[in-house]
Amino acid sequence: MKKTFLILFFIAGIYSSVYSQCWKSITAGNSNFFAIAENGTLWAWGRNTYGELGEGTNSQRSTPVQIGTDTNWKEISASINPIASFTLGVKTDGTLWAWGNNERGQLGDGTLLNRNSPVQVGSDTDWKTVTAGFTHSIGIKQNGTLWGWGSSERFALIGFPSGINVLVPEQRNMDTDWVQASAHDRVTVAVKSDKTVWCWGWNHDNFLDVPFGSVITNNIQYPAKKNFSTNVKYTTTGDRRSFDVNENNLVINPNDPLNNNPAYVKHLDTGNSTLVYIPLNNGTLRSAGYRLGSSGQTSGDFQLSSANNWKLVSVGGESAGAINNNGELYVWGSNFDGQLGNGGSGTSSILPLLVSCPSVLSNEKFTTETSIKVYPNPIKDKLTIESIVSIERIVIIDVFGKEIYNEITNDTNVEINLSRLDQGVYFALVYANGIQKPIKIIKN
């Protein structure tokens, strides 16, 4: 039974890899995901209690569903509030959109009404970037000004006393040199054009590492400069942790979960309890802190994938995702709300699982089916592979993914001697006309 399951799982993985290279970006929410495809469309899946997926209902989705029909999505930021989440988005035309929970005005549409589909926030067309906290939102415009809305608790909106709800975006600072921001639970960390990092809001146990001499305050009312925050490229904040990555790709953090060792990364993100990063020296995928998808609160520094072509990562509250250079998307962690995108729910995963492209995108990229014949099958000695177009490459692997044979060719008919192979099940990966077609073969 275990062997059969492994074979079926591998076959599914092979087929998925054919139709999975369409993703441009990934954003992890608390128990859901948002992905922008190469064609600019937006897709979402997972928890949807408050309409935070944006597909018009409050129903959970266990496979990617398209959000509207627009093809100009640029950036998504999803709240990882474990109780009531919401989502913000910026389009390439500079407009700002919001949906999901709105009990503190964090959508910025002037109401306290929840929305289960995207609504435009105001009419401005000069939004550059946006970040969603737990109950507050921060946006930066093209002119470098910084804006905030939602809950002002613990001065999350700069200067507003705690308890006030701001229902539309308001400029919160006169500076015009803000370039990037990251919001979390009543706190915001932001980078200026001079590459310094500033923060405000809840500073529990001084996790933001703000220099106050002998006095440490838990509430920072106005932007305060972080210690050692020079030459910073981008910042990310999570639950009582904040990481800055400088121009040399070095991670700067006084509470480094990587045992205070110098860490150089290609990309990094943090959530409520987990840091996921791509080491600069080898391009693999690793996590530090709580291991998403594990039981018993397992923690440590784990390698999630030994592949060396990872591009970017995103960490939510209960799950995380990553995209490689081929445009393939992988997710892992909890699956109680269907956030692994595989059509099921309840079974978590500590290892990344492939999320296939929706069929509409697959059809866009792979419009021509290539007719390929493999015979005899089962085989005894020689295997013949025949195609109506030239075959570019043939790779044969076993059920564990180990490569047995690899040949580059330019023929329409290829004969391979497999007499030395042990009996068992193998897969021939045939590349032709830009398509990889996996074919199960049996060796007698």
Side-chain angles (χ1 to χ4, degrees):
M1 180 63 70
K2 289 183 179 180
K3 186 174 182 179
T4 301
F5 175 79
L6 176 61
I7 292 171
L8 292 176
F9 179 80
F10 191 80
I11 293 173
I14 293 294
Y15 273 100
S16 296
S17 69
V18 179
Y19 301 110
S20 60
Q21 301 176 4
C22 70
W23 302 110
K24 183 178 180 181
S25 69
I26 179 67
T27 300
N30 181 64
S31 299
N32 46 36
F33 284 100
F34 302 83
I36 298 176
E38 291 288 352
N39 65 0
T41 56
L42 176 62
W43 301 77
W45 60 98
R47 184 184 295 177
N48 195 29
T49 306
Y50 297 93
E52 57 265 45
L53 293 187
E55 43 73 84
T57 76
N58 288 48
S59 301
Q60 172 182 303
R61 301 290 184 174
S62 58
T63 57
V65 58
Q66 186 173 352
I67 309 305
T69 58
D70 291 343
T71 59
N72 62 338
W73 289 100
K74 172 189 173 185
E75 172 187 296
I76 298 295
S77 180
S79 169
I80 57 176
N81 186 336
I83 300 175
S85 61
F86 66 101
T87 312
L88 305 172
V90 176
K91 293 184 179 180
T92 56
D93 61 5
T95 56
L96 175 62
W97 300 76
W99 58 98
N101 184 272
N102 196 29
E103 61 183 355
R104 302 298 296 273
Q106 59 265 44
L107 298 189
D109 67 347
T111 76
L112 292 174
L113 300 175
N114 297 340
R115 306 287 187 176
N116 59 22
S117 59
V119 294
Q120 186 172 350
V121 181
S123 58
D124 292 346
T125 58
D126 58 347
W127 291 100
K128 178 183 179 181
T129 185
V130 69
T131 179
F134 271 26
T135 53
H136 78 289
S137 302
I138 298 292
I140 297 174
K141 290 193 173 183
Q142 294 290 347
N143 61 5
T145 56
L146 186 139
W147 300 67
W149 59 99
S151 171
S152 66
E153 189 175 355
R154 293 185 182 268
F155 305 114
L157 297 183
I158 304 179
F160 274 126
S162 186
I164 290 179
N165 295 329
V166 179
L167 304 187
V168 295
E170 293 193 17
Q171 188 173 348
R172 300 309 311 140
N173 180 276
M174 292 298 103
D175 295 341
T176 59
D177 57 349
W178 300 100
V179 295
Q180 185 256 335
S182 177
H184 197 258
D185 183 9
R186 295 163 288 182
V187 65
T188 304
V189 183
V191 181
K192 287 193 169 187
S193 59
D194 65 358
K195 301 176 184 177
T196 57
V197 181
W198 300 72
C199 52
W200 58 92
W202 191 26
N203 185 34
H204 186 76
D205 293 333
N206 196 34
F207 85 94
L208 294 174
D209 193 39
V210 177
F212 284 107
S214 60
V215 178
I216 295 177
T217 177
N218 280 344
N219 299 320
I220 303 174
Q221 187 172 0
Y222 298 100
K225 186 178 178 181
K226 286 182 65 177
N227 277 323
F228 313 112
S229 64
T230 58
N231 200 32
V232 172
K233 183 163 54 175
Y234 66 91
T235 186
T236 177
T237 185
D239 184 23
R240 304 180 189 180
R241 59 174 63 197
S242 177
F243 300 90
D244 306 323
V245 178
N246 71 17
E247 290 290 335
N248 297 320
N249 297 299
L250 175 66
V251 180
I252 306 170
N253 176 39
N255 304 307
D256 194 348
L258 305 179
N259 300 318
N260 294 312
N261 293 323
Y264 291 85
V265 299
K266 183 178 180 181
H267 193 237
L268 168 151
D269 193 29
T270 187
N272 284 340
S273 56
T274 302
L275 167 73
V276 178
Y277 64 104
I278 304 170
L280 186 64
N281 65 337
N282 58 24
T284 59
L285 187 64
R286 302 188 66 89
S287 73
Y290 172 52
R291 188 168 191 177
L292 295 172
S294 66
S295 59
Q297 298 292 311
T298 304
S299 62
D301 191 339
F302 304 96
Q303 179 168 290
L304 299 169
S305 169
S306 60
N308 60 1
N309 64 337
W310 294 101
K311 180 179 179 182
L312 56 88
V313 299
S314 180
V315 185
E318 299 179 2
S319 48
I323 293 180
N324 63 25
N325 293 331
N326 297 327
E328 294 174 333
L329 167 60
Y330 291 78
V331 299
W332 65 98
S334 171
N335 195 36
F336 293 107
D337 297 289
Q339 59 263 51
L340 295 188
N342 56 13
S345 63
T347 303
S348 302
S349 175
I350 61 174
L351 296 176
L353 301 177
L354 189 67
V355 178
S356 297
C357 291
S359 59
V360 61
L361 297 179
S362 300
N363 291 336
E364 287 177 4
K365 192 161 186 179
F366 304 102
T367 56
T368 304
E369 277 294 333
T370 301
S371 177
I372 297 175
K373 298 179 181 179
V374 176
Y375 59 90
N377 194 9
I379 62 173
K380 182 178 180 181
D381 296 315
K382 294 181 179 180
L383 177 71
T384 299
I385 300 178
E386 185 178 297
S387 172
I388 60 174
V389 298
S390 294
I391 299 171
E392 301 157 11
R393 180 189 292 269
I394 298 172
V395 179
I396 296 179
I397 57 179
D398 63 19
V399 294
F400 300 101
K402 181 180 178 181
E403 187 175 292
I404 306 298
Y405 178 89
N406 190 327
E407 179 185 359
I408 296 176
T409 180
N410 192 33
D411 296 323
T412 58
N413 189 292
V414 179
E415 186 178 81
I416 305 172
N417 189 343
L418 299 177
S419 60
R420 294 185 179 182
L421 276 188
D422 294 333
Q423 292 183 357
V425 177
Y426 298 86
F427 295 91
L429 309 182
V430 184
Y431 297 78
N433 199 30
I435 297 174
Q436 176 206 71
K437 185 172 183 179
I439 301 172
K440 176 183 174 182
I441 56 177
I442 299 174
K443 176 64 166 59
N444 284 338

